[in-house]
Amino acid sequence: QVCAQLCRRPCYCPWVPPRCPRGSPLVLDGCGCCKICARRLGEPCDFLHVCDQSQGLVCDYSSASAGTGAICNFEDDEEGCEVNGRVYRDGEVFQPSCKIQCQCLDGGFNCIPLCQEDVRLPTPDCPYPRRVEIPGKCCPEWICEAQDQHLLRDARTVSPLRRFPCQEWGTEWSACSATCGVGFATRVSNQNRYCRLETQRRLCMVRPCPALPAAFPA
């Protein structure tokens, strides 16, 4: 009965197909007549205005009983995860920021850092390495600081003459920042040549991350 009321024959479609927003493909309407823009997640839908089935979306009429109308939603048998107000499909890989990459798994998500947490030790050609934020770049980088700049900065906080030996102090290493794969642990300690408190980091790995599905190559 719905088809008889809404789907008229022959089909009358506009000559120029509609221009769809990014991420919304052209599909046939519910009558199988004209090309329309597929509705995306959370957008209203009905018999004619179909959802994007390539993204696993169906027209959810459960909210229609409350008077709000049907919307495009994932099928009930698929789990997703919500991050910063956006819903991702199970298995979908996304980047909340340029520094980490995450994957939605079974209603939760696992993340791995994209910035290398390497530690650069002093060398003869770079006696004072320092990690700094570079404008326009996501990940901090190591630079070689000049000796006079290094001594000038330390002179503001450390007396050049120390009459008493330094009493070592430090906190315990924190838990690893990643539940799988390479992360980093931090602590506060004064175990350095200037006996000053500083935040120290070291690499850690609780367990290897599971391999990504074939649909999401590394």
Side-chain angles (χ1 to χ4, degrees), residues 65-80:
S65 59
T68 57
I71 59 173
C72 293
N73 203 350
F74 292 117
E75 294 186 78
D76 294 336
D77 58 348
E78 287 195 24
E79 294 188 9

Side-chain angles (χ1 to χ4, degrees), residues 139-175:
C139 300
E141 296 182 2
W142 287 97
I143 64 171
C144 294
E145 193 175 56
Q147 182 176 2
D148 53 351
Q149 295 178 350
H150 184 81
L151 294 178
L152 179 61
R153 190 179 71 252
D154 292 333
R156 299 173 183 173
T157 56
V158 180
S159 174
L161 298 177
R162 185 180 297 112
R163 299 180 181 179
F164 304 98
C166 175
Q167 182 178 0
E168 292 186 355
W169 181 90
T171 62
E172 297 292 334
W173 287 102
S174 67

Side-chain angles (χ1 to χ4, degrees), residues 38-206:
R39 297 297 173 94
R40 295 172 295 182
L41 180 65
E43 294 183 343
C45 59
D46 51 34
F47 175 77
L48 285 177
H49 303 89
V50 296
C51 302
D52 187 1
Q53 296 182 357
S54 65
Q55 297 294 323
L57 299 177
V58 295
C59 197
D60 184 6
Y61 290 91
S62 60
S63 59
S65 59
T68 57
I71 59 173
C72 293
N73 203 350
F74 292 117
E75 294 186 78
D76 294 336
D77 58 348
E78 287 195 24
E79 294 188 9
C81 55
E82 183 177 353
V83 180
N84 296 331
R86 181 174 176 181
V87 179
Y88 298 92
R89 296 170 53 195
D90 186 60
E92 185 174 358
V93 177
F94 59 96
Q95 287 187 226
S97 73
C98 61
K99 294 184 179 181
I100 58 174
Q101 176 176 291
C102 304
Q103 183 184 18
C104 181
L105 291 173
D106 300 328
F109 57 93
N110 293 330
C111 299
I112 57 173
L114 298 178
C115 296
Q116 295 183 354
E117 294 294 337
D118 57 337
V119 177
R120 182 168 183 174
L121 299 177
T123 56
D125 59 332
C126 185
Y128 303 108
R130 188 161 65 95
R131 204 174 191 194
V132 297
E133 298 285 344
I134 306 297
K137 292 187 177 182
C138 177
C139 300
E141 296 182 2
W142 287 97
I143 64 171
C144 294
E145 193 175 56
Q147 182 176 2
D148 53 351
Q149 295 178 350
H150 184 81
L151 294 178
L152 179 61
R153 190 179 71 252
D154 292 333
R156 299 173 183 173
T157 56
V158 180
S159 174
L161 298 177
R162 185 180 297 112
R163 299 180 181 179
F164 304 98
C166 175
Q167 182 178 0
E168 292 186 355
W169 181 90
T171 62
E172 297 292 334
W173 287 102
S174 67
C176 193
S177 61
T179 57
C180 71
V182 179
F184 61 89
T186 61
R187 73 170 181 179
V188 177
S189 174
N190 67 346
Q191 298 177 27
N192 52 67
R193 59 182 300 184
Y194 297 102
C195 192
R196 66 177 183 182
L197 290 177
E198 65 179 6
T199 301
Q200 300 174 345
R201 294 194 291 182
R202 69 178 183 183
L203 299 179
C204 59
M205 184 174 68
V206 179

